[in-house]
Amino acid sequence: MIVVSTSVPGAGGTTVVRQAMDEVGGWKHRNYGDVMVEIAEDRGLVDDRDEMRKLDPSQQKELQKGAAKKLAEEGEESDVVVDTHCTVNTPKGYLPGLPQWVLKELGPDAVLVVEAGADEVSARREKDAEERERDVQSLEEIDEHQMVNRMAAMSYATLTGATVKIVQNPDGGLDEAAGKVVEVLR
Ligand code: AP5
């Protein structure tokens, strides 16, 4: 089984899904970005993950394809949570995280969309500003990105038959959010 977990950066998708996986057991966690960054670094395209979304979209798509192939192979061996983004906010516009060729390779059974309030997302991004080079976005831009992600998730579901679960992860709400994800992984 393949479950795709998504969130805008800072909404806490990784944190929520990891807690749920600890509770259920038996799932492998793979970060789509890590796989893309490994391939990009091997090709000398980037030095760190925050440079990824600034690459030309055609280069990002090539890396996307490579990562999809690798993860699909791993998905044949065990249940995998693929941690990624419904859309990536690039300078040229929203890049779909799961275009048709990625969906075809992965064949996800469920798509999780983890969300938080725009003010909370913004505050969490500021917290790790020293280690990460986060994009500075207004609250309206974060709201728009989360709305676009919902639309993208339903399009992915229409193409694959996957279910879509929207999970709220407000400050102090991690246990409840992880509980909603457990319902998908069980
Ligand atoms: P990726 O590795 O996903 O990095 P990212 O985009 O920076 O996302 P984050 O890891 O920051 O997001 P998150 O919300 O999951 O973080 P966390 O749980 O730590 O991707 C790297 C790059 O790869 C992307 O930028 C993109 O370029 C590329 N990429 C990836 N997939 C792609 C695809 N399919 N197609 C094309 N390109 C792709 O949470 C953040 C913070 O919030 C933490 O400090 C945490 O402690 C805090 N937090 C979480 N939950 C709570 C809570 N309930 N209360 C309080 N604080 C909380």
Side-chain angles (χ1 to χ4, degrees):
M1 194 170 166
I2 293 194
V3 171
V4 172
S5 174
T6 70
S7 65
V8 293
T14 305
T15 307
V16 172
V17 85
R18 278 200 174 276
Q19 179 159 323
M21 286 169 65
D22 285 346
E23 209 172 314
V24 176
W27 284 77
K28 186 170 165 188
H29 181 265
R30 287 295 269 147
N31 185 302
Y32 206 95
D34 284 350
V35 182
M36 287 182 60
V37 172
E38 278 161 30
I39 301 172
E41 284 176 348
D42 281 351
R43 294 184 189 171
L45 295 173
V46 297
D47 290 321
D48 70 65
R49 64 198 315 106
D50 289 314
E51 288 178 26
M52 294 277 298
R53 58 188 176 274
K54 286 158 194 153
L55 288 174
D56 191 80
S58 63
Q59 287 175 307
Q60 294 188 51
K61 282 180 210 163
E62 272 307 308
L63 297 167
Q64 240 178 5
K65 276 185 205 167
K69 202 164 181 317
K70 204 165 175 197
L71 290 168
E73 283 163 11
E74 292 179 19
E76 283 168 19
E77 284 156 28
S78 61
D79 289 333
V80 181
V81 170
V82 177
D83 195 339
T84 185
H85 299 288
C86 268
T87 64
V88 178
N89 193 12
T90 81
K92 292 195 179 173
Y94 292 110
L95 178 86
L98 302 162
Q100 176 256 336
W101 56 84
V102 171
L103 289 173
K104 207 169 154 205
E105 288 280 359
L106 284 184
D109 297 284
V111 179
L112 299 167
V113 182
V114 177
E115 297 181 343
D119 52 342
E120 294 168 318
V121 170
S122 183
R124 292 175 196 172
R125 286 180 187 174
E126 271 173 35
K127 248 183 22 191
D128 64 9
E130 281 185 15
E131 307 97 69
R132 299 291 308 270
E133 205 172 306
R134 300 287 197 186
D135 294 334
V136 179
Q137 285 187 302
S138 67
L139 299 186
E140 289 74 18
E141 286 168 328
I142 295 170
D143 277 334
E144 178 187 278
H145 193 178
Q146 294 200 114
M147 180 191 66
V148 166
N149 284 347
R150 285 186 176 203
M151 295 176 188
M154 282 317 300
S155 314
Y156 302 151
T158 308
L159 290 168
T160 58
T163 52
V164 172
K165 185 140 179 168
I166 297 173
V167 176
Q168 298 301 326
N169 178 37
D171 287 348
L174 178 58
D175 288 348
E176 198 176 329
K180 300 262 181 220
V181 174
V182 166
E183 291 168 3
V184 176
L185 301 185
R186 275 217 167 108

